[in-house]
Amino acid sequence: MQVGVIGTGHVGLVTAAVLAELGHDVVGYDADPGRRARLQLGQPWFHEPGLAELVGRGMAEGRLAFRGSIEQAVARADVVFVCVGTPGRADGRPDLLAVEAAARAVARHALPGTVVVEKSTVLAGTARRVQRVIELERGALDAIDVVSNPEFLREGRAVADALRPDRILVGAESHRGFAVMRGLYAEQVAAGVPLIETDLATAELSKHACNAFLALKISYANALAELCERAGADVVDVTRVMGADPRIGPEFLGAGIGYGGSCFPKDLAAFQRLSASLGYDFGLLAEVDRINRDAVDRVVRKVVDVLWNVPGKRVALLGLAFKPDTDDIRFSPALAVAARLVEEGAEVVGYDPLVGDAARDAVPGLEVVADPHAALRGAHCAVVCTACPEVAALDLVRVRDEMRHAIVVDGRNVLDPTAAARAGVVLFPTGRPRTQELVGA
Ligand code: UGA
């Protein structure tokens, strides 16, 4: 099929590359000229494992191209994906201006019978509005079907997630809408991927329901971590016990400094706003958010307690991205920790294997280095903020020798407490006994 993709962010670019890999002819468009220029050279503008190879192959085999106007992306398309950003506004509602602008542009340039797919995460009810905008814009021209097809890929694993999704969700209200989407995903469905078909509002709401539930699981683990610290219990074991129950499952029970990224914080706020606008007080979501903020407070409190007088003390932050395998720092809890410690007067130096200057620009006063040992050298305390493999693999004896005081606050529970104790590193994990308590010192 001929596919147009508007917006080449983390979702749009992966969608474009994967649809090309599935054999469709895909034309992508992004409003940002800098991103477009890089993509036209076959270079993704953000880090995502396996994406550069997929983009390169799609372009080399003539199934993937990036063009300079929406018209070129849409003109011959059977299906147009709207993957533009929906940033959160101060009041929690998502900003849907770009969605409306894309819908108007598609309405002007699309062939009759084109199916417009809403891929961006939007509030329930948005697809109907998009449909209305398109009808108004096209006037007497043939109608266009609008379909909701939320994306469940995770950054850092986006290519694998999109090639072999655990489900494909399609919301539509026309036979044509369903039929075109079945054709588009025929190969994956034939390979056994479940296709769930619903009405538009159900598909839209399901996406928020999933992200909010995953955030809830993380906050549940973080509340348990707080309780475990007070009770002298070990949250890693508690969540392992919970996760062994197939009704609960082991994933997303990792206690630490909380969730971040461009999805969970924004989607939780949007879901709360949606509920409120529909007259339902979904108070549980406010509590999930409160526990998440508290996770950052808790780690900052630990560091401040360790340092006693903070001004002038050097703190190494290990990991700056919102999670491993990405250079994305949007709503990264690591940067929230950095900003708080800078505010307290600490000399804060951060290391991340993928994040560079962007972190420095985001937190004035934060020094960023490309080598973990440069961050650790002379530090009075280190904080593990992201569970990067490079951090988990650190030689703790070397860490002890490099730091001024070998004290590590493990905000992701990636370091082995016994190995830390043996190396002489004082470890403050999250929701687990401290190392001295483990070795009985
Ligand atoms: C999330 C969802 O997992 C995807 O299914 C969804 O498609 C995506 O949002 C989206 O809406 O676009 P993503 O934001 O890439 O994906 O990252 P996650 O892997 O979900 O992690 C989110 C945050 O939760 C990270 O900060 C991570 O460190 C944190 N986390 C995750 C924990 O603190 N504990 C855990 O056990 C798991």
Side-chain angles (χ1 to χ4, degrees):
M1 283 185 187
Q2 304 286 328
V3 180
V5 176
I6 302 175
T8 58
H10 290 78
V11 168
L13 184 56
V14 174
T15 300
V18 165
L19 288 173
E21 183 74 9
L22 292 175
H24 301 296
D25 288 315
V26 184
V27 180
Y29 165 80
D30 199 291
D32 183 314
R35 289 182 188 177
R36 272 202 321 262
R38 288 196 59 172
L39 290 173
Q40 280 162 347
L41 296 173
Q43 298 165 357
W45 58 270
F46 55 89
H47 174 82
E48 187 62 50
L51 185 58
E53 292 80 346
L54 216 61
V55 167
R57 187 154 61 235
M59 290 177 79
E61 294 176 6
R63 280 175 280 105
L64 178 61
F66 298 94
R67 301 276 181 250
S69 74
I70 290 198
E71 184 174 357
Q72 286 168 300
V74 165
R76 296 173 51 222
D78 304 302
V79 187
V80 176
F81 279 82
V82 175
C83 305
V84 295
T86 54
R89 302 199 308 196
D91 64 2
R93 282 181 299 162
D95 182 341
L96 298 176
L97 270 172
V99 172
E100 180 178 344
R104 288 188 191 280
V106 174
R108 282 196 296 277
H109 302 300
L111 294 168
T114 303
V115 169
V116 176
V117 184
E118 174 191 80
K119 195 77 164 158
S120 309
T121 301
V122 292
L123 295 178
T126 305
R128 291 230 172 86
R129 286 191 174 274
V130 167
Q131 181 91 59
R132 205 170 313 146
V133 161
I134 290 175
E135 279 162 15
L136 288 171
E137 195 73 35
R138 281 176 79 84
L141 287 174
D142 286 349
I144 278 183
D145 292 298
V146 176
V147 162
S148 166
N149 174 216
E151 183 53 64
F152 297 103
L153 59 78
R154 294 160 291 181
E155 283 183 32
R157 301 193 207 169
V159 169
D161 282 353
L163 282 171
R164 286 174 296 283
D166 44 28
R167 81 219 100 151
I168 295 171
L169 172 58
V170 173
E173 278 162 17
S174 68
H175 292 299
R176 181 173 164 73
F178 283 124
V180 168
M181 296 307 280
R182 279 179 211 140
L184 194 73
Y185 292 122
E187 189 180 320
Q188 287 170 314
V189 173
V193 177
L195 171 66
I196 304 175
E197 297 185 338
T198 69
D199 59 66
L200 287 169
T202 302
E204 292 170 317
L205 198 140
S206 298
K207 168 69 188 188
H208 276 124
C210 289
N211 275 2
F213 190 78
L214 292 170
L216 181 149
K217 274 189 99 175
I218 297 168
S219 280
Y220 191 83
N222 280 325
L224 288 178
E226 180 72 52
L227 201 58
C228 285
E229 282 183 17
R230 292 169 193 232
D234 186 334
V235 76
V236 173
D237 286 338
V238 172
T239 49
R240 200 166 67 208
V241 173
M242 291 173 63
D245 182 333
R247 293 169 301 174
I248 299 174
E251 299 218 45
F252 281 69
L253 286 175
I257 61 170
Y259 59 78
S262 66
C263 303
F264 286 178
K266 171 175 73 85
D267 289 355
L268 204 77
F271 208 26
Q272 275 176 272
R273 283 294 307 213
L274 174 76
S275 311
S277 73
L278 296 172
Y280 177 64
D281 177 12
F282 205 154
L284 184 59
L285 301 182
E287 197 53 20
V288 169
D289 177 48
R290 186 195 64 75
I291 294 169
N292 195 53
R293 290 172 196 274
D294 204 42
V296 167
D297 284 350
R298 194 170 56 225
V299 86
V300 171
R301 277 198 305 270
K302 279 184 191 165
V303 176
V304 168
D305 189 47
V306 159
L307 295 178
W308 185 28
N309 290 304
V310 181
K313 301 254 172 70
R314 183 173 169 89
V315 181
L317 300 188
L318 303 174
L320 297 170
F322 83 100
K323 66 174 198 175
D325 275 329
T326 178
D327 57 358
D328 196 343
I329 52 165
R330 287 175 292 174
F331 296 95
S332 171
L335 296 194
V337 171
R340 293 277 299 280
L341 291 174
V342 167
E343 208 177 278
E344 294 278 347
E347 196 186 291
V348 187
V349 50
Y351 155 76
D352 190 284
L354 297 169
V355 175
D357 290 348
R360 192 179 298 127
D361 298 343
V363 182
L366 170 68
E367 186 191 337
V368 179
V369 292
D371 172 4
H373 302 289
L376 287 161
R377 209 161 297 130
H380 295 80
C381 176
V383 187
V384 177
C385 292
T386 312
C388 313
E390 292 82 349
V391 173
L394 281 171
D395 171 356
L396 292 175
V397 172
R398 184 168 171 195
V399 168
R400 180 203 59 206
D401 292 345
E402 283 168 341
M403 293 182 72
R404 180 161 179 157
H405 301 312
I407 302 174
V408 180
V409 176
D410 189 350
R412 292 292 181 187
N413 285 338
V414 295
L415 300 179
D416 174 15
T418 313
R422 279 205 197 104
V425 170
V426 178
L427 188 71
F428 290 82
T430 304
R432 319 184 72 181
R434 286 174 42 189
T435 48
Q436 290 98 326
E437 290 155 29
L438 273 177
V439 294

